[in-house]
Amino acid sequence: MHVLSSSELAVTAIFALILAVIAYWIIRNIPKMSGDIAAFRKRTLVWTQVSLVLTVLQLNFKAGDWRFSIVLGLIVLFTGSIWLSARYHDIHSTLDPESKDSEVH
């Protein structure tokens, strides 16, 4: 089994940090998006599924080499978190349209 070197771990940590910052920025701006976010939600779900399939394929065909699977796994977490927060926002924005109007008045 391949052991990750310290430089590979450092690059992986930097990549994870960059993805976390971008995900945080996107998730914070979801309520500010204009229009229906259903298309955005569908795109992020597709990319989550694609990255998950690629991760599983990578794990099956490259047994013992975790480097690329770790990167794909981080992308699964990135796209999945954005999809989940967009879904959460979409559900809560459609459930209580009257409560938003009552808060304004």
Side-chain angles (χ1 to χ4, degrees):
M1 179 168 208
H2 181 76
V3 178
L4 295 175
S5 67
S6 60
S7 62
E8 289 171 336
L9 284 173
V11 169
T12 303
I14 291 169
F15 183 67
L17 183 65
I18 290 170
L19 285 180
V21 168
I22 293 171
Y24 178 77
W25 179 70
I26 291 171
I27 289 169
R28 294 283 295 175
N29 288 322
I30 285 177
K32 299 174 189 171
M33 288 183 180
S34 61
D36 188 24
I37 64 169
F40 176 71
R41 203 180 70 225
K42 289 176 186 176
R43 281 193 303 266
T44 55
L45 179 60
V46 166
W47 280 110
T48 303
Q49 292 170 341
V50 166
S51 57
L52 186 61
V53 167
L54 289 175
T55 303
V56 170
L57 287 174
Q58 178 69 20
L59 286 172
N60 285 333
F61 293 125
K62 290 289 228 172
D65 190 6
W66 293 89
R67 293 175 289 182
F68 197 60
S69 296
I70 291 171
V71 171
L72 286 171
L74 290 172
I75 294 172
V76 168
L77 292 174
F78 171 73
T79 57
S81 65
I82 294 172
W83 171 77
L84 190 61
S85 63
R87 179 162 165 71
Y88 176 82
H89 176 71
D90 196 27
I91 288 172
H92 286 295
S93 67
T94 57
L95 283 181
D96 297 328
E98 292 119 17
S99 66
K100 289 183 183 178
D101 293 335
S102 65
E103 289 175 3
V104 173
H105 297 310

XYZ file of all heavy atoms in Angstrom:
836
model
N 0.843 -1.183 0.000
C 0.000 0.000 0.000
C 0.883 1.238 0.000
O 1.884 1.306 0.694
C -0.909 -0.024 1.221
C -1.799 1.149 1.323
S -3.036 0.845 2.576
C -4.299 1.859 1.938
N 0.482 2.199 -0.772
C 1.239 3.438 -0.889
C 0.971 4.338 0.312
O -0.163 4.607 0.656
C 0.849 4.163 -2.178
C 1.585 5.424 -2.408
N 2.884 5.442 -2.844
C 1.228 6.705 -2.249
C 3.285 6.695 -2.944
N 2.288 7.481 -2.594
N 2.038 4.800 0.930
C 1.913 5.722 2.064
C 2.116 7.136 1.537
O 3.028 7.394 0.762
C 2.970 5.388 3.145
C 2.881 6.352 4.295
C 2.798 3.961 3.623
N 1.249 8.041 1.970
C 1.351 9.425 1.518
C 2.581 10.094 2.121
O 2.831 9.992 3.321
C 0.100 10.204 1.899
C -1.204 9.774 1.245
C -2.366 10.564 1.824
C -1.144 9.962 -0.246
N 3.321 10.808 1.288
C 4.472 11.548 1.781
C 3.993 12.840 2.442
O 2.837 13.231 2.320
C 5.438 11.847 0.635
O 4.850 12.743 -0.270
N 4.907 13.505 3.113
C 4.525 14.747 3.801
C 4.124 15.837 2.804
O 3.225 16.638 3.081
C 5.655 15.226 4.699
O 6.820 15.466 3.927
N 4.767 15.883 1.652
C 4.374 16.889 0.654
C 2.998 16.576 0.085
O 2.203 17.498 -0.173
C 5.414 16.964 -0.464
O 5.499 15.733 -1.144
N 2.678 15.304 -0.116
C 1.341 14.939 -0.597
C 0.278 15.266 0.442
O -0.814 15.738 0.104
C 1.284 13.458 -0.947
C 2.070 13.098 -2.190
C 2.176 11.611 -2.410
O 2.055 10.831 -1.444
O 2.377 11.215 -3.570
N 0.590 15.043 1.685
C -0.350 15.402 2.757
C -0.558 16.905 2.833
O -1.679 17.378 3.035
C 0.160 14.880 4.102
C -0.008 13.387 4.363
C 0.682 12.984 5.656
C -1.476 13.036 4.405
N 0.521 17.659 2.661
C 0.416 19.120 2.705
C -0.433 19.645 1.552
O -1.305 20.505 1.752
C 1.805 19.749 2.669
N -0.207 19.132 0.355
C -0.982 19.568 -0.799
C -2.451 19.162 -0.638
O -3.361 19.940 -0.963
C -0.384 18.997 -2.102
C -1.313 19.203 -3.288
C 0.971 19.622 -2.375
N -2.694 17.979 -0.109
C -4.063 17.532 0.130
C -4.751 18.424 1.160
O -5.922 18.794 1.001
C -4.084 16.066 0.591
O -3.440 15.258 -0.394
C -5.495 15.571 0.804
N -4.040 18.798 2.209
C -4.612 19.680 3.228
C -4.905 21.063 2.654
O -5.951 21.658 2.948
C -3.668 19.790 4.420
N -4.018 21.581 1.822
C -4.237 22.878 1.190
C -5.446 22.810 0.253
O -6.284 23.706 0.236
C -2.968 23.352 0.447
C -1.875 23.700 1.457
C -3.266 24.535 -0.469
C -0.518 23.933 0.834
N -5.546 21.727 -0.519
C -6.685 21.541 -1.416
C -7.988 21.456 -0.623
O -8.992 22.067 -1.002
C -6.477 20.274 -2.258
C -7.563 20.024 -3.260
C -7.742 20.866 -4.337
C -8.400 18.925 -3.122
C -8.746 20.633 -5.267
C -9.403 18.682 -4.038
C -9.576 19.532 -5.119
N -7.970 20.732 0.490
C -9.166 20.620 1.338
C -9.534 21.978 1.921
O -10.724 22.328 1.994
C -8.932 19.604 2.450
N -8.553 22.751 2.321
C -8.815 24.083 2.856
C -9.408 25.009 1.803
O -10.357 25.753 2.069
C -7.526 24.681 3.430
C -7.660 26.043 4.081
C -8.547 25.947 5.319
C -6.296 26.576 4.449
N -8.871 24.951 0.590
C -9.404 25.774 -0.504
C -10.854 25.389 -0.798
O -11.719 26.258 -0.945
C -8.520 25.642 -1.763
C -7.176 26.327 -1.533
C -9.212 26.218 -2.994
C -6.148 26.052 -2.603
N -11.134 24.087 -0.865
C -12.506 23.639 -1.110
C -13.433 24.051 0.025
O -14.585 24.437 -0.215
C -12.551 22.126 -1.299
C -12.043 21.583 -2.627
C -12.157 20.054 -2.647
C -12.788 22.179 -3.798
N -12.947 23.996 1.257
C -13.779 24.393 2.399
C -14.114 25.877 2.358
O -15.249 26.278 2.626
C -13.068 24.039 3.706
N -13.150 26.703 1.991
C -13.389 28.146 1.900
C -14.376 28.453 0.775
O -15.309 29.253 0.951
C -12.058 28.906 1.697
C -12.289 30.349 1.303
C -11.206 28.815 2.956
N -14.201 27.809 -0.373
C -15.120 28.036 -1.489
C -16.523 27.551 -1.138
O -17.514 28.233 -1.425
C -14.593 27.350 -2.770
C -13.304 28.031 -3.245
C -15.644 27.385 -3.876
C -12.602 27.298 -4.366
N -16.627 26.386 -0.500
C -17.940 25.860 -0.102
C -18.604 26.790 0.901
O -19.810 27.068 0.797
C -17.797 24.460 0.478
N -17.852 27.295 1.859
C -18.400 28.228 2.842
C -18.922 29.484 2.159
O -20.008 29.963 2.457
C -17.332 28.579 3.880
C -17.800 29.580 4.897
C -18.631 29.200 5.935
C -17.412 30.913 4.828
C -19.071 30.116 6.878
C -17.843 31.836 5.753
C -18.669 31.431 6.782
O -19.109 32.343 7.698
N -18.160 30.010 1.217
C -18.552 31.214 0.500
C -19.834 30.979 -0.311
O -20.746 31.799 -0.300
C -17.406 31.664 -0.404
C -17.710 32.876 -1.195
C -17.859 34.153 -0.740
C -17.933 32.930 -2.603
N -18.137 34.995 -1.781
C -18.192 34.261 -2.939
C -17.914 31.978 -3.600
C -18.445 34.660 -4.238
C -18.168 32.383 -4.895
C -18.432 33.712 -5.183
N -19.907 29.829 -1.000
C -21.089 29.522 -1.809
C -22.301 29.302 -0.910
O -23.391 29.817 -1.183
C -20.834 28.285 -2.696
C -19.825 28.627 -3.776
C -22.131 27.778 -3.314
C -19.350 27.429 -4.575
N -22.127 28.558 0.182
C -23.241 28.261 1.081
C -23.768 29.541 1.734
O -24.971 29.719 1.894
C -22.816 27.207 2.124
C -22.647 25.850 1.431
C -23.826 27.108 3.254
C -21.979 24.797 2.293
N -22.868 30.450 2.099
C -23.307 31.721 2.688
C -24.081 32.575 1.694
O -24.923 33.377 2.082
C -22.102 32.514 3.200
C -21.369 31.884 4.351
C -22.080 32.062 5.624
N -22.117 33.477 5.943
C -22.758 33.978 6.954
N -23.405 33.193 7.772
N -22.766 35.268 7.189
N -23.797 32.432 0.397
C -24.453 33.248 -0.619
C -25.681 32.597 -1.238
O -26.314 33.208 -2.099
C -23.456 33.619 -1.724
C -22.455 34.632 -1.244
O -22.801 35.542 -0.491
N -21.211 34.484 -1.646
N -26.033 31.395 -0.843
C -27.220 30.736 -1.393
C -28.489 31.537 -1.112
O -29.303 31.720 -2.018
C -27.325 29.282 -0.898
C -26.315 28.405 -1.633
C -28.732 28.729 -1.104
C -26.277 26.968 -1.170
N -28.707 32.059 0.101
C -29.939 32.845 0.307
C -30.013 34.115 -0.533
O -31.093 34.624 -0.791
C -29.894 33.194 1.793
C -29.014 32.179 2.410
C -28.006 31.834 1.357
N -28.889 34.614 -0.984
C -28.865 35.843 -1.786
C -29.080 35.583 -3.268
O -29.182 36.529 -4.042
C -27.531 36.560 -1.587
C -27.283 36.983 -0.158
C -25.906 37.542 -0.005
C -25.583 37.756 1.463
N -24.182 38.102 1.663
N -29.126 34.311 -3.672
C -29.311 33.981 -5.081
C -30.698 34.397 -5.527
O -31.674 34.185 -4.821
C -29.134 32.488 -5.322
C -27.736 32.003 -5.213
S -27.678 30.258 -5.605
C -25.951 29.955 -5.390
N -30.764 34.987 -6.693
C -32.060 35.411 -7.200
C -32.693 34.273 -7.997
O -32.007 33.487 -8.628
C -31.902 36.643 -8.083
O -31.086 36.325 -9.185
N -33.998 34.207 -7.948
C -34.712 33.204 -8.712
C -34.757 31.850 -8.020
O -34.431 31.701 -6.842
N -35.148 30.871 -8.790
C -35.294 29.517 -8.287
C -33.934 28.822 -8.287
O -33.205 28.858 -9.283
C -36.275 28.761 -9.180
C -36.623 27.403 -8.625
O -36.508 27.211 -7.401
O -37.028 26.539 -9.423
N -33.599 28.194 -7.197
C -32.300 27.523 -7.117
C -32.395 26.044 -7.472
O -31.452 25.297 -7.244
C -31.659 27.709 -5.733
C -32.474 27.053 -4.634
C -31.402 29.152 -5.434
C -31.746 26.991 -3.310
N -33.519 25.628 -8.045
C -33.692 24.218 -8.394
C -32.654 23.770 -9.427
O -32.112 22.668 -9.325
C -35.100 23.967 -8.909
N -32.360 24.595 -10.405
C -31.356 24.230 -11.411
C -29.976 24.115 -10.782
O -29.211 23.198 -11.107
C -31.345 25.248 -12.536
N -29.657 25.026 -9.894
C -28.381 24.968 -9.180
C -28.290 23.693 -8.343
O -27.267 23.015 -8.328
C -28.242 26.207 -8.293
C -27.019 26.214 -7.428
C -25.766 26.401 -7.992
C -27.111 26.034 -6.054
C -24.636 26.412 -7.197
C -25.992 26.051 -5.262
C -24.742 26.241 -5.841
N -29.393 23.366 -7.687
C -29.444 22.156 -6.861
C -29.263 20.906 -7.718
O -28.537 19.991 -7.345
C -30.770 22.122 -6.114
C -30.752 21.288 -4.887
C -32.083 21.289 -4.194
N -33.031 20.537 -5.001
C -34.255 20.924 -5.272
N -34.720 22.057 -4.810
N -35.041 20.193 -6.008
N -29.894 20.881 -8.889
C -29.771 19.726 -9.778
C -28.350 19.575 -10.302
O -27.831 18.463 -10.398
C -30.759 19.847 -10.943
C -32.190 19.645 -10.530
C -33.128 19.866 -11.695
C -34.570 19.811 -11.240
N -35.498 20.108 -12.335
N -27.716 20.687 -10.648
C -26.323 20.613 -11.135
C -25.383 20.106 -10.064
O -24.501 19.285 -10.342
C -25.866 21.991 -11.623
C -26.362 22.350 -12.987
C -25.625 23.567 -13.515
N -25.725 24.718 -12.634
C -26.627 25.676 -12.754
N -27.514 25.619 -13.712
N -26.640 26.692 -11.919
N -25.549 20.593 -8.841
C -24.656 20.118 -7.789
C -24.913 18.655 -7.455
O -23.977 17.929 -7.121
C -24.795 20.972 -6.512
O -26.157 21.004 -6.098
C -24.274 22.367 -6.737
N -26.163 18.201 -7.582
C -26.445 16.786 -7.365
C -25.791 15.938 -8.442
O -25.199 14.889 -8.137
C -27.959 16.533 -7.342
C -28.385 15.073 -7.147
C -27.867 14.528 -5.824
C -29.888 14.950 -7.237
N -25.833 16.381 -9.690
C -25.189 15.638 -10.770
C -23.684 15.548 -10.536
O -23.078 14.480 -10.668
C -25.501 16.286 -12.142
C -24.590 15.747 -13.229
C -26.952 16.059 -12.502
N -23.068 16.668 -10.162
C -21.623 16.645 -9.932
C -21.254 15.806 -8.704
O -20.198 15.181 -8.672
C -21.072 18.061 -9.812
C -20.900 18.656 -11.158
C -21.629 19.664 -11.705
C -19.974 18.246 -12.160
N -21.209 19.906 -12.989
C -20.192 19.058 -13.293
C -18.983 17.278 -12.219
C -19.446 18.915 -14.464
C -18.240 17.144 -13.394
C -18.474 17.962 -14.482
N -22.122 15.776 -7.705
C -21.882 14.905 -6.560
C -21.928 13.447 -6.986
O -21.073 12.640 -6.596
C -22.930 15.165 -5.452
O -22.868 16.539 -5.084
C -22.689 14.300 -4.244
N -22.910 13.092 -7.801
C -23.022 11.715 -8.263
C -21.849 11.326 -9.151
O -21.312 10.218 -9.027
C -24.346 11.521 -9.004
C -25.548 11.625 -8.115
C -26.846 11.682 -8.885
O -26.864 11.999 -10.081
N -27.951 11.409 -8.201
N -21.443 12.218 -10.039
C -20.309 11.927 -10.920
C -19.037 11.726 -10.113
O -18.292 10.761 -10.328
C -20.129 13.061 -11.960
C -18.783 12.971 -12.663
C -21.256 13.042 -12.960
N -18.779 12.609 -9.172
C -17.557 12.465 -8.378
C -17.619 11.230 -7.478
O -16.598 10.580 -7.242
C -17.284 13.724 -7.563
O -18.373 14.028 -6.728
N -18.800 10.872 -6.996
C -18.931 9.661 -6.186
C -18.664 8.413 -7.022
O -17.948 7.497 -6.580
C -20.318 9.600 -5.558
C -20.572 8.475 -4.571
C -19.619 8.575 -3.388
C -22.005 8.513 -4.093
N -19.186 8.365 -8.242
C -18.932 7.228 -9.129
C -17.447 7.141 -9.465
O -16.855 6.053 -9.446
C -19.792 7.330 -10.410
C -19.322 6.360 -11.476
C -21.249 7.080 -10.081
N -16.833 8.277 -9.763
C -15.394 8.260 -10.057
C -14.574 7.807 -8.852
O -13.575 7.096 -9.000
C -14.942 9.648 -10.512
C -15.411 10.076 -11.895
C -15.006 11.517 -12.164
C -14.864 9.151 -12.960
N -14.991 8.201 -7.665
C -14.286 7.770 -6.457
C -14.388 6.264 -6.278
O -13.389 5.595 -5.987
C -14.858 8.487 -5.217
O -14.765 9.883 -5.418
C -14.108 8.105 -3.963
N -15.575 5.726 -6.458
C -15.757 4.275 -6.308
C -14.970 3.523 -7.377
O -14.327 2.505 -7.084
C -17.260 3.918 -6.351
C -17.472 2.421 -6.441
C -17.962 4.477 -5.132
N -15.011 4.010 -8.614
C -14.220 3.370 -9.668
C -12.725 3.427 -9.368
O -12.000 2.454 -9.577
C -14.510 4.030 -11.017
C -15.859 3.721 -11.647
C -16.059 4.559 -12.901
C -15.967 2.243 -11.965
N -12.272 4.556 -8.895
C -10.861 4.702 -8.547
C -10.473 3.736 -7.431
O -9.411 3.132 -7.465
C -10.576 6.148 -8.133
C -9.158 6.411 -7.702
C -8.169 6.329 -8.844
O -8.541 6.427 -9.998
N -6.914 6.140 -8.515
N -11.330 3.596 -6.446
C -11.039 2.674 -5.350
C -11.006 1.226 -5.832
O -10.210 0.419 -5.338
C -12.062 2.837 -4.230
C -11.927 4.088 -3.385
C -13.119 4.230 -2.451
C -10.641 4.061 -2.589
N -11.859 0.883 -6.791
C -11.903 -0.487 -7.291
C -10.732 -0.824 -8.196
O -10.187 -1.920 -8.114
C -13.213 -0.748 -8.042
C -14.375 -0.894 -7.104
O -14.217 -1.292 -5.955
N -15.549 -0.562 -7.591
N -10.351 0.091 -9.063
C -9.325 -0.219 -10.049
C -7.907 0.099 -9.599
O -6.955 -0.416 -10.168
C -9.618 0.502 -11.362
C -10.846 -0.007 -12.042
C -11.861 0.852 -12.395
C -10.991 -1.361 -12.324
C -13.003 0.379 -13.017
C -12.130 -1.839 -12.951
C -13.141 -0.972 -13.300
N -7.759 0.927 -8.624
C -6.422 1.282 -8.137
C -6.303 0.926 -6.659
O -5.978 1.775 -5.840
C -6.167 2.777 -8.320
C -6.010 3.197 -9.738
C -4.717 2.704 -10.277
C -4.019 3.840 -10.970
N -2.693 3.508 -11.363
N -6.556 -0.302 -6.330
C -6.505 -0.742 -4.934
C -5.105 -0.501 -4.370
O -4.102 -0.866 -4.962
C -6.866 -2.210 -4.838
N -5.059 0.139 -3.222
C -3.790 0.396 -2.564
C -3.233 1.784 -2.809
O -2.357 2.222 -2.090
N -3.689 2.475 -3.843
C -3.213 3.826 -4.125
C -4.348 4.795 -3.810
O -5.307 4.915 -4.552
C -2.789 3.950 -5.584
C -2.062 5.241 -5.858
O -1.785 5.990 -4.892
O -1.764 5.510 -7.024
N -4.217 5.503 -2.707
C -5.291 6.335 -2.187
C -5.202 7.787 -2.613
O -6.090 8.572 -2.325
C -5.276 6.288 -0.655
C -5.625 4.962 -0.135
C -4.764 3.939 0.119
C -6.918 4.481 0.176
N -5.438 2.852 0.579
C -6.773 3.159 0.635
C -8.185 5.036 0.114
C -7.854 2.393 1.019
C -9.257 4.273 0.503
C -9.088 2.970 0.943
N -4.161 8.178 -3.311
C -3.936 9.599 -3.582
C -5.081 10.243 -4.373
O -5.631 11.253 -3.958
C -2.618 9.795 -4.317
C -1.412 9.439 -3.463
C -0.162 9.536 -4.245
N -0.149 8.420 -5.217
C 0.835 8.187 -6.042
N 1.881 8.974 -6.051
N 0.793 7.183 -6.877
N -5.421 9.682 -5.510
C -6.469 10.280 -6.329
C -7.841 10.083 -5.700
O -8.718 10.927 -5.826
C -6.419 9.700 -7.743
C -7.169 10.508 -8.749
C -6.819 11.824 -8.992
C -8.223 9.968 -9.442
C -7.512 12.588 -9.915
C -8.921 10.718 -10.372
C -8.564 12.028 -10.610
N -8.027 8.977 -4.994
C -9.309 8.734 -4.324
C -9.574 9.751 -3.223
O -10.718 10.140 -2.986
C -9.337 7.327 -3.738
O -9.260 6.373 -4.758
N -8.528 10.193 -2.557
C -8.685 11.211 -1.517
C -9.150 12.529 -2.141
O -10.058 13.185 -1.631
C -7.376 11.388 -0.720
C -7.110 10.145 0.129
C -7.419 12.635 0.148
C -5.754 10.119 0.790
N -8.551 12.897 -3.250
C -8.948 14.130 -3.937
C -10.398 14.027 -4.412
O -11.196 14.958 -4.233
C -7.997 14.432 -5.115
C -8.518 15.563 -5.972
C -6.606 14.754 -4.595
N -10.755 12.899 -5.012
C -12.137 12.716 -5.456
C -13.102 12.697 -4.274
O -14.212 13.223 -4.360
C -12.262 11.432 -6.270
C -11.682 11.481 -7.680
C -11.675 10.087 -8.291
C -12.453 12.440 -8.544
N -12.692 12.109 -3.164
C -13.523 12.111 -1.969
C -13.756 13.519 -1.440
O -14.852 13.850 -0.983
N -12.735 14.358 -1.504
C -12.892 15.754 -1.098
C -13.868 16.489 -2.017
O -14.671 17.312 -1.567
C -11.538 16.465 -1.086
C -10.571 16.046 0.013
C -9.206 16.689 -0.209
C -11.124 16.402 1.370
N -13.822 16.162 -3.300
C -14.754 16.782 -4.237
C -16.175 16.301 -3.966
O -17.132 17.078 -4.065
C -14.313 16.517 -5.691
C -12.994 17.244 -5.953
C -15.374 16.953 -6.692
C -12.344 16.921 -7.263
N -16.336 15.028 -3.590
C -17.657 14.518 -3.214
C -18.184 15.303 -2.011
O -19.343 15.724 -1.988
C -17.612 13.005 -2.897
C -18.893 12.542 -2.230
C -17.348 12.197 -4.146
N -17.348 15.505 -1.016
C -17.773 16.273 0.157
C -18.100 17.716 -0.197
O -19.074 18.289 0.309
C -16.688 16.226 1.233
C -16.447 14.868 1.882
C -15.246 14.946 2.820
C -17.682 14.410 2.620
N -17.315 18.313 -1.061
C -17.531 19.692 -1.487
C -18.868 19.853 -2.203
O -19.711 20.665 -1.809
C -16.372 20.116 -2.400
C -16.553 21.429 -3.087
C -16.453 22.611 -2.389
C -16.800 21.484 -4.449
C -16.610 23.830 -3.020
C -16.958 22.691 -5.097
C -16.860 23.864 -4.376
N -19.082 19.055 -3.249
C -20.320 19.186 -4.013
C -21.526 18.714 -3.206
O -22.608 19.294 -3.312
C -20.244 18.406 -5.339
O -19.949 17.027 -5.059
C -19.189 18.991 -6.252
N -21.340 17.691 -2.391
C -22.441 17.207 -1.563
C -22.877 18.216 -0.525
O -24.075 18.374 -0.265
N -21.937 18.922 0.068
C -22.306 19.923 1.070
C -23.046 21.094 0.439
O -24.007 21.613 1.007
C -21.063 20.424 1.810
O -20.203 21.121 0.930
N -22.631 21.482 -0.754
C -23.332 22.567 -1.443
C -24.731 22.113 -1.844
O -25.702 22.858 -1.682
C -22.517 23.050 -2.655
C -21.222 23.704 -2.172
C -23.320 24.028 -3.508
C -20.261 24.036 -3.261
N -24.857 20.884 -2.360
C -26.178 20.375 -2.725
C -27.087 20.294 -1.505
O -28.253 20.699 -1.565
C -26.070 18.993 -3.372
C -27.404 18.359 -3.571
C -28.305 18.654 -4.545
C -28.007 17.372 -2.740
N -29.433 17.884 -4.379
C -29.274 17.087 -3.280
C -27.600 16.681 -1.607
C -30.135 16.157 -2.713
C -28.453 15.754 -1.048
C -29.701 15.504 -1.603
N -26.554 19.790 -0.396
C -27.363 19.643 0.808
C -27.825 20.998 1.339
O -28.981 21.156 1.735
C -26.583 18.889 1.884
C -27.343 18.454 3.111
C -28.469 17.510 2.731
C -26.416 17.784 4.093
N -26.962 21.982 1.340
C -27.368 23.299 1.828
C -28.345 23.980 0.862
O -29.258 24.674 1.296
C -26.155 24.180 2.089
O -25.454 24.403 0.894
N -28.173 23.762 -0.445
C -29.132 24.317 -1.410
C -30.491 23.647 -1.246
O -31.533 24.309 -1.311
C -28.617 24.133 -2.834
N -30.494 22.367 -1.002
C -31.757 21.650 -0.770
C -32.409 22.145 0.520
O -33.614 22.375 0.563
C -31.498 20.153 -0.707
C -32.729 19.325 -0.452
C -32.510 17.887 -0.834
N -33.514 16.999 -0.312
C -34.766 16.936 -0.721
N -35.179 17.766 -1.661
N -35.616 16.077 -0.204
N -31.626 22.309 1.559
C -32.143 22.808 2.833
C -32.763 24.193 2.652
O -33.867 24.461 3.127
C -31.005 22.848 3.856
C -31.380 23.442 5.186
C -32.031 22.679 6.143
C -31.079 24.766 5.485
C -32.374 23.224 7.377
C -31.422 25.316 6.704
C -32.062 24.537 7.645
O -32.412 25.081 8.848
N -32.050 25.051 1.954
C -32.567 26.406 1.716
C -33.834 26.374 0.864
O -34.781 27.118 1.131
C -31.511 27.269 1.048
C -32.011 28.629 0.688
N -32.283 29.592 1.621
C -32.322 29.170 -0.514
C -32.733 30.666 1.017
N -32.762 30.435 -0.279
N -33.846 25.534 -0.167
C -35.007 25.444 -1.039
C -36.230 24.929 -0.284
O -37.331 25.456 -0.452
C -34.694 24.536 -2.226
C -35.671 24.695 -3.360
O -36.254 25.790 -3.490
O -35.848 23.731 -4.126
N -36.038 23.938 0.569
C -37.158 23.398 1.351
C -37.686 24.446 2.313
O -38.895 24.653 2.424
C -36.727 22.122 2.104
C -36.568 20.973 1.117
C -37.727 21.762 3.191
C -35.961 19.722 1.721
N -36.799 25.120 3.016
C -37.243 26.101 4.008
C -37.790 27.383 3.369
O -38.610 28.065 3.980
C -36.133 26.427 4.991
C -35.896 25.317 5.958
N -36.829 24.925 6.879
C -34.846 24.488 6.124
C -36.368 23.915 7.584
N -35.161 23.623 7.134
N -37.361 27.710 2.184
C -37.907 28.905 1.536
C -39.290 28.635 0.958
O -40.095 29.544 0.849
C -36.973 29.407 0.452
O -36.905 28.478 -0.611
N -39.581 27.386 0.578
C -40.907 27.080 0.046
C -41.900 26.715 1.140
O -43.106 26.819 0.923
C -40.842 25.913 -0.964
O -40.274 24.769 -0.328
C -40.027 26.311 -2.174
N -41.436 26.307 2.312
C -42.347 25.933 3.387
C -43.003 27.129 4.052
O -44.176 27.088 4.398
C -41.607 25.126 4.459
C -41.321 23.670 4.144
C -40.606 23.027 5.311
C -42.582 22.912 3.812
N -42.261 28.192 4.257
C -42.757 29.328 5.022
C -42.763 30.626 4.222
O -42.130 31.600 4.615
C -41.904 29.520 6.280
C -41.981 28.337 7.221
O -43.043 27.705 7.265
O -40.984 28.061 7.907
N -43.497 30.708 3.110
C -43.517 31.992 2.401
C -44.306 33.056 3.164
O -43.999 34.228 3.061
C -44.183 31.680 1.060
C -44.967 30.432 1.286
C -44.243 29.684 2.393
N -45.313 32.652 3.958
C -46.094 33.625 4.711
C -45.307 34.177 5.884
O -45.483 35.327 6.269
C -47.399 33.003 5.216
C -48.363 32.667 4.124
C -48.662 31.178 4.091
O -48.372 30.504 5.082
O -49.153 30.702 3.067
N -44.453 33.352 6.473
C -43.703 33.845 7.620
C -42.726 34.947 7.226
O -42.450 35.843 7.993
C -42.963 32.698 8.315
O -41.967 32.188 7.465
N -42.213 34.873 5.994
C -41.331 35.947 5.513
C -42.124 37.237 5.330
O -41.644 38.310 5.640
C -40.669 35.535 4.198
C -39.640 34.475 4.354
C -39.000 34.178 3.040
C -37.995 33.051 3.188
N -37.370 32.698 1.927
N -43.360 37.119 4.807
C -44.183 38.307 4.610
C -44.593 38.922 5.943
O -44.656 40.129 6.088
C -45.430 37.969 3.793
C -45.094 37.595 2.361
O -44.028 38.034 1.889
O -45.891 36.865 1.735
N -44.886 38.063 6.922
C -45.308 38.584 8.226
C -44.161 39.236 8.978
O -44.363 40.118 9.780
C -45.942 37.459 9.057
O -44.965 36.474 9.352
N -42.923 38.794 8.701
C -41.770 39.406 9.360
C -41.508 40.803 8.791
O -41.030 41.677 9.494
C -40.527 38.538 9.160
C -40.576 37.248 9.951
C -39.385 36.358 9.630
O -38.510 36.765 8.856
O -39.339 35.233 10.155
N -41.823 41.018 7.537
C -41.566 42.302 6.895
C -42.551 43.353 7.415
O -42.195 44.486 7.648
C -41.654 42.171 5.359
C -41.553 43.529 4.698
C -40.592 41.240 4.862
N -43.805 42.969 7.615
C -44.835 43.932 8.037
C -44.727 44.263 9.476
O -44.470 43.774 10.380
C -46.228 43.389 7.749
C -46.459 43.180 6.284
N -46.192 44.141 5.343
C -46.902 42.103 5.612
C -46.485 43.661 4.148
N -46.925 42.423 4.283
